[in-house]
C-alpha cells in the first residue's frame, strides 16, 4: 500500500470479485471531469485500460456501457467543482441523473473522495468495497494515495470502526443542493446500514479494522481535529498546508517531525511556521520525468494526503482527503480520513524510516525557499475569482427550455447574478463548443437541437484588473421545460438506422465484447427487411430467448432502449414493426416468467 512505485488503476476498484456482479456504487468527490465519468462505466464493463479518445471513439460502445450501468453509478460532487469537458457531447445527458451537486454544511468545500461499491454473489449476498482516496474523479496525473478494502455485512451488530462511513452515506441526501429521489435516499440509507454492520479489514501488515473519520458533517468543531494526542515521530504529507494545522501536528510530538508538501505552499507560509519541523521536503524534479521503461507518463505533482505517527512499537497511518489546513482540520470542509495501525517492524505496515527508505525519499529533495510565483496583485485576483465561483455556484440560476420550430429549441439561462467589479462571467451549454460562449446576463438564450439540451452549464470567470488563470467550472442547474423524450433523441442521434440498432442490440445481448465482432455498417438502412437479411438477423429470436432464460436482467436495458426509441416517429423507423413484434413476444414471455 505504501510503496511509491505501486500503481492502482482506478477502475480496478469497481471491478467485481470473481462470480460477483456490480449492484451499485456511490462516489464522492470534490472535483469531477464529466469525460472521466463517461469513460468509467466503459472501462469497468470492458476491462479496457485505453485512453479517453479510444474509449470515446465508438459512441455505440460507450452508450452500451452507460445503458448497462444505468442507475448503478451515483456521484456526489461539490456544487462548484465540475470541470468544463473538452468535448461538446450530447451523451452528457446520460449522466445528469447520476450527478448530484452538494454543499458543505459549514461553508467550506465538499472534499471527501470515497467510493463505496456493492457487489452481489450468485445467491444475492452483498459484499462491500470501500476505497478512500486522495484523488478526485478526474484524469489528474499527480501522485496520490488510495486505500481499498472489502467486507461483508454481518448480523445486526454495528461496527464502531465503520460508523463514520455510515455517517457520510446518510448525510448525502441532506447536503444535496437539488435533492435526490426517494428511491436513491432509501438506497443510501440501506447502504449506510450495511456499511455500519461491516468490519473492513486493514491491509496486510496492519491490525484490526480500518477506522473511518469523517470531518465537517456534524456541529462545527470548537477545536481542530487531532489525529492522535501522543507520538514519538511524525510524518505529514499534503499538497496544501497552513500554520493552524501544522501547529496541531507539532503538538503531538516533542521532536523528529518530517513535512512533505509543494514548493509554492511552503513558500507562502508565514515566517516561523516551519521552525518546529526538523525535515521539510518537496518532490524532486525527477519525480515528474518520463520513465525509461516506456510504461507511459509518470505522475506529476503532489496530491497525496497522509499522516504517520509512531507511538511505542506501533505506527498509525491516516490517509484520505484532508490537507494540512484549517478548513480541513476545523470542519469547515467535509473530509474523510481513515486510520490503520500496525507494528513498525513489519515491512507491510512500515514505520516512517522504512517508508522513506523503500522509495519515497528517492522522489523527494530538501525544501529550499524561493520567491513566490504569484505577486500580491495576482493573489488578490485569484481570491476574488474564488469568491465569485462560490457565489455563482450558490446563485438562483436555472435553465428554461421551450420548443421552437422543427427540431430547434430555446435553451435559456435565467436568474439573478451580478459579478463583482473587475470580474467577467461567460457561459454556454456544455453540449456546444466554447465558441458559443457569451456574457452572463439574464436571460442568456441559445437555439439548439433537442439532443443538445442539457442541465450542465459551463462558466468561465475572468479577472479584468490583473492577470492570472481563468476559473472554469460546470454547474448542474435546475431545469424547466426539459422534454420527457430527450434521452430518446440523444439515442436516435447515435443509433440512426436499423443497422446500428441491431449492432447495438447484439452488444447488449452478448456483452460488450460482441461489439468488436460486428461490422460497423454504413448507416444506410431504411427500416425494411434489412434486419432480417443482415448481421444474422434470422437468429435474433433465438438470441433473445437465450438471454431471457440465462440472464433475464440483460433484457432490461433492451426493454428501456426499445421503449425510448419507439416513443418517437423517427425511432419507429429505427426499430421496425417486424422487429418490434419479435421483441414483444419475448418481453411478454419474460414478464409472465417474472410474475410467476
Amino acid at each position: 500500500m505504501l510503496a511509491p512505485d505501486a500503481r492502482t488503476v482506478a477502475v480496478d476498484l469497481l471491478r467485481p470479485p470473481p462470480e460477483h456482479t456490480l449492484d451499485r456504487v456511490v462516489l464522492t468527490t470534490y472535483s469531477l471531469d464529466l469525460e472521466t465519468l463517461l469513460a468509467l462505466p466503459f472501462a469497468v464493463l470492458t476491462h479496457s485500460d485505453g485512453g479517453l479518445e479510444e474509449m470515446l471513439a465508438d459512441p455505440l460502445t460507450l452508450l452500451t456501457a452507460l445503458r448497462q450501468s444505468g442507475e448503478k453509478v451515483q456521484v456526489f460532487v461539490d456544487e462548484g467543482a465540475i470541470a468544463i469537458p473538452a468535448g461538446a457531447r450530447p451523451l452528457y445527458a446520460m449522466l445528469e441523473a447520476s450527478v448530484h451537486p452538494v454543499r458543505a454544511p459549514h461553508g467550506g468545500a465538499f472534499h471527501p473522495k470515497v467510493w463505496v461499491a456493492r457487489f452481489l454473489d450468485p445467491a444475492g449476498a452483498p459484499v462491500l468495497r470501500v476505497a478512500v482516496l486522495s484523488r478526485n474523479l478526474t484524469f489528474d496525473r499527480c501522485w496520490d494515495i488510495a486505500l481499498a478494502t472489502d467486507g461483508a455485512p454481518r448480523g445486526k451488530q454495528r461496527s464502531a470502526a465503520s460508523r463514520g462511513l455510515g455517517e457520510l452515506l446518510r448525510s448525502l441526501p441532506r447536503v444535496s443542493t437539488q435533492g435526490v429521489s426517494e428511491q436513491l435516499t432509501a438506497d443510501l440509507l440501506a447502504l449506510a446500514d450495511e456499511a455500519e454492520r461491516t468490519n473492513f479489514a486493514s491491509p496486510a501488515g496492519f491490525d484490526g479494522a480500518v477506522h473511518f473519520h469523517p470531518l465537517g458533517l456534524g456541529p462545527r468543531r470548537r477545536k481542530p481535529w487531532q489525529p492522535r494526542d501522543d507520538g514519538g515521530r511524525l510524518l505529514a504529507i499534503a499538497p496544501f498546508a497552513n500554520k493552524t494545522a501544522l501547529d496541531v501536528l507539532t503538538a503531538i510530538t516533542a521532536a523528529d517531525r518530517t513535512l512533505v508538501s509543494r514548493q509554492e505552499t511552503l513558500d507562502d507560509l508565514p515566517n516561523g511556521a516551519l521552525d518546529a519541523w526538523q525535515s521539510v521536503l518537496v518532490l524532486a524534479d525527477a519525480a515528474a520525468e518520463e520513465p525509461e521503461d516506456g510504461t507511459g507518463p509518470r505522475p506529476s505533482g503532489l496530491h497525496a494526503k497522509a499522516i504517520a505517527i509512531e507511538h511505542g512499537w506501533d505506527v498509525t497511518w491516516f490517509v484520505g482527503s484532508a490537507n494540512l489546513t484549517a478548513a480541513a482540520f476545523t470542519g469547515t470542509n467535509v473530509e474523510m480520513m481513515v486510520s490503520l495501525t500496525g507494528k513498525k517492524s513489519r515491512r507491510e505496515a512500515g514505520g516512517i524510516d522504512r517508508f522513506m527508505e523503500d522509495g519515497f525519499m528517492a522522489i523527494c529533495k530538501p525544501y529550499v525557499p524561493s520567491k513566490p510565483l504569484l505577486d500580491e496583485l495576482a493573489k488578490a485576483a485569484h481570491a476574488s475569482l474564488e469568491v465569485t465561483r462560490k457565489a455563482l455556484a450558490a446563485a438562483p440560476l436555472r435553465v428554461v427550455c421551450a420548443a421552437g420550430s422543427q427540431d430547434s429549441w430555446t435553451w435559456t439561462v435565467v436568474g439573478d447574478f451580478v459579478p463583482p467589479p473587475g470580474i467577467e462571467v461567460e457561459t454556454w451549454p456544455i453540449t456546444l463548443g466554447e465558441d458559443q460562449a457569451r456574457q452572463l446576463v439574464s436571460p442568456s438564450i441559445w437555439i439548439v437541437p433537442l439532443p443538445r439540451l442539457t442541465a450542465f452549464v459551463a462558466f468561465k470567470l475572468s479577472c479584468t484588473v490583473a492577470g492570472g488563470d481563468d476559473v472554469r467550472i460546470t454547474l448542474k442547474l435546475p431545469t424547466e421545460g426539459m422534454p420527457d423524450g430527450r434521452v430518446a433523441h440523444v439515442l436516435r442521434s447515435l443509433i440512426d438506422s436499423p443497422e446500428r440498432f441491431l449492432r447495438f442490440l447484439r452488444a447488449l445481448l452478448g456483452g460488450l465484447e460482441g461489439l468488436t465482432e460486428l461490422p460497423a455498417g454504413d448507416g444506410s438502412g431504411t427500416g425494411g427487411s434489412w434486419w432480417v437479411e443482415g448481421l444474422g438477423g434470422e437468429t435474433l429470436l433465438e438470441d433473445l430467448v437465450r438471454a431471457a432464460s440465462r440472464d433475464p436482467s440483460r433484457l432490461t436495458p433492451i426493454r428501456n432502449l426499445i421503449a425510448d426509441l419507439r416513443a418517437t416517429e423517427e425511432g419507429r423507423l429505427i426499430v421496425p414493426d417486424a422487429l418490434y413484434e419479435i421483441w414483444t413476444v419475448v418481453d411478454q414471455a419474460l414478464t409472465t416468467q417474472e410474475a410467476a
Side-chain angles (χ1 to χ4, degrees), residues 4 7 135 140-144 283 286-289 296-301:
R7 303 296 174 88
R135 175 177 293 276
D140 194 355
R141 284 182 51 202
C142 287
W143 289 95
D144 275 286
L283 288 190
E289 294 177 356
R298 297 183 64 176
S300 175

Side-chain angles (χ1 to χ4, degrees), residues 504-527:
F504 187 61
L505 185 61
R506 288 198 176 280
L508 288 173
L509 287 172
L512 290 175
E513 65 278 3
L515 285 173
T516 62
E517 302 170 359
L518 298 175
D522 60 5
S524 60
T526 58

